[in-house]
Amino acid sequence: MWRLAMLDEFYSVAQSISNTYLENEKAQGTPCIGYTCSYFPEEILHSFGIIPYRIKGLNVHSLQVADAAFGPFICSHPKCLLQHFADGDYSFLDGIIVTPGCDSMRRIDECIRKTAVNLDLPIVPPFFFHYAVPHKITEYSIKWLVDELSRCIEHIEKHFGLSFSMEKLKSSISFYNNLRRLWEELNSLRLHEPPLLSGADATAVFVAGLSMPRDSYYEKLSQFIKHYSGKEYDNRKRLMLIGSANDDIELIKIVESDYAVVVADTLCYGPRLEVDYVTEQDDPLHALAVRYLNHSHCPRMYGGYRQRLAKVVDAIQKANVEGVVLQNIRFCDLHGAENGLLERDLEKMGIPCLRLEREYGPLADYERLRMRIDAFIERLDARRVVCDRH
């Protein structure tokens, strides 16, 4: 009963835009800033006492405004984000930090502003920062990102009337490293044989943490790991999920169904391929720049495909993955192109792959996806039979 109650709470927060934890903090005057990309270090906001909020696009029931602003032939993820702004669902945000992870997401700021003017809506957040991230990992790009983090800090200080403290940033880095240790413990439950935590449950826990005040989340996660006894998912296909940003738990449930469990993933709303840490002995801003440029294994990073492939193969071996599901949101050029490369190279290695193109939000075509995944599970069943014979 306790296990179900805790998971239900994580599910509730993960599948909602707002939550009571956030509302209580806001009622006490705590600012909240939304951000669009995992390349932004939450440690910066946490050190200021500001709630970091990873913007989600779930539960949109219409794309009327977003279709007019973005047009039809574009990724549906930023369109769902824009629709939430147009509907006033993000009125609780005191600011937004936009990262041009892709060209579609780069346009979210101008579309919010144009929508506000065209429809006379008070939807532009009071604080805005365009957080640019290099596309390559070099010494000069790390230095460039350190300068960008410094510029962001200056804008926050000026707008909110807050004072930046390097000691508080060091404390926040230590806090997040401890939080990552908890994530590592959570991930270990999925690596177990048989898995003790489903991919859907793990996604709920991770996504919930992106919209709760982090101190409250840390306490809840600590208690969950301490008391979670595990549920064995025996005799299920062990899958890995790769591709476009996903905070939709229903997609994970469809992939898993009654026959599989997602034991590893590399998704933008999760811990990516592995849990790694910020070096606490280094200069804090330099350490953050190094960690975030190297950690987020996203195809936006030019020239890093071979390194990303090696990380995927390593994760497959560690988690004893039997098949890989490569999904991308329609019109997602980055993951659509990289998934083709991954399918080619993984299949050459004898690792079965399934490529899926999907929509995000209200256009999600679950039944078509379910049929494709069922066929993939049958392929893995046949493969097991052949392997058992030999």
Side-chain angles (χ1 to χ4, degrees), residues 26-228:
K26 287 286 296 178
Q28 297 175 30
T30 307
C32 178
I33 293 181
Y35 66 97
T36 63
C37 180
S38 60
Y39 279 81
F40 178 76
E42 289 190 0
E43 290 91 336
I44 297 289
L45 298 181
H46 186 268
S47 72
F48 275 109
I50 297 173
I51 303 169
Y53 184 99
R54 178 67 190 275
I55 299 174
K56 299 180 288 189
L58 295 176
N59 305 326
V60 170
H61 301 293
S62 166
L63 288 177
Q64 182 177 4
V65 173
D67 279 338
F70 272 110
F73 306 112
I74 202 167
C75 171
S76 47
H77 182 231
K79 290 168 72 172
C80 288
L81 302 186
L82 174 62
Q83 189 67 47
H84 272 306
F85 277 97
D87 293 340
D89 298 329
Y90 279 127
S91 59
F92 62 84
L93 291 178
D94 298 287
I96 181 174
I97 295 173
V98 173
T99 301
C102 64
D103 192 56
S104 300
M105 193 60 75
R106 178 192 60 79
R107 291 186 55 206
I108 190 74
D109 168 58
E110 65 185 67
C111 288
I112 291 173
R113 295 179 187 276
K114 288 182 179 179
T115 298
V117 172
N118 294 340
L119 300 181
D120 192 24
L121 295 173
I123 61 173
V124 179
F127 171 81
F128 169 79
F129 186 80
H130 187 277
Y131 173 69
V133 178
H135 290 268
K136 296 181 72 174
I137 304 171
T138 64
E139 287 188 17
Y140 62 80
S141 65
I142 290 173
K143 182 180 182 301
W144 193 94
L145 188 57
V146 170
D147 293 339
E148 188 74 352
L149 291 173
S150 298
R151 191 171 70 89
C152 181
I153 289 169
E154 291 173 5
H155 277 66
I156 293 172
E157 284 184 306
K158 181 178 180 180
H159 180 87
F160 291 97
L162 299 172
S163 296
F164 173 71
S165 166
M166 195 64 76
E167 290 305 312
K168 287 183 178 179
L169 180 58
K170 291 178 180 178
S171 177
S172 292
I173 288 173
S174 178
F175 170 83
Y176 272 85
N177 278 342
N178 288 331
L179 179 56
R180 292 180 182 109
R181 291 184 182 95
L182 294 182
W183 284 341
E184 205 159 27
E185 289 186 52
L186 189 75
N187 261 340
S188 67
L189 297 172
R190 304 166 71 186
L191 300 178
H192 197 269
E193 184 64 66
L196 301 177
L197 184 72
S198 72
D201 290 349
T203 300
V205 175
F206 286 124
V207 174
L210 297 174
S211 52
M212 289 175 64
R214 298 308 183 265
D215 291 20
S216 298
Y217 176 64
Y218 184 91
E219 181 181 346
K220 291 290 180 183
L221 181 57
S222 298
Q223 291 299 311
F224 178 74
I225 292 175
K226 180 179 179 181
H227 294 98
Y228 183 74

Side-chain angles (χ1 to χ4, degrees), residues 229-243:
S229 57
K231 174 185 176 182
E232 292 190 1
Y233 292 87
D234 202 8
N235 201 33
R236 291 196 181 198
K237 308 298 181 298
R238 300 172 67 92
L239 301 181
M240 182 175 187
L241 184 61
I242 296 175

Side-chain angles (χ1 to χ4, degrees), residues 321-362:
V321 168
E322 297 176 73
V324 176
V325 177
L326 301 154
Q327 55 80 28
N328 66 271
I329 300 172
R330 190 165 294 148
F331 304 118
C332 178
D333 294 333
L334 291 175
H335 285 286
E338 181 137 303
N339 283 352
L341 297 176
L342 287 170
E343 181 185 36
R344 177 199 66 188
D345 292 334
L346 293 177
E347 287 280 1
K348 282 182 180 178
M349 299 176 191
I351 302 168
C353 294
L354 170 67
R355 286 185 66 188
L356 295 175
E357 187 177 65
R358 64 180 178 89
E359 289 287 6
Y360 177 94

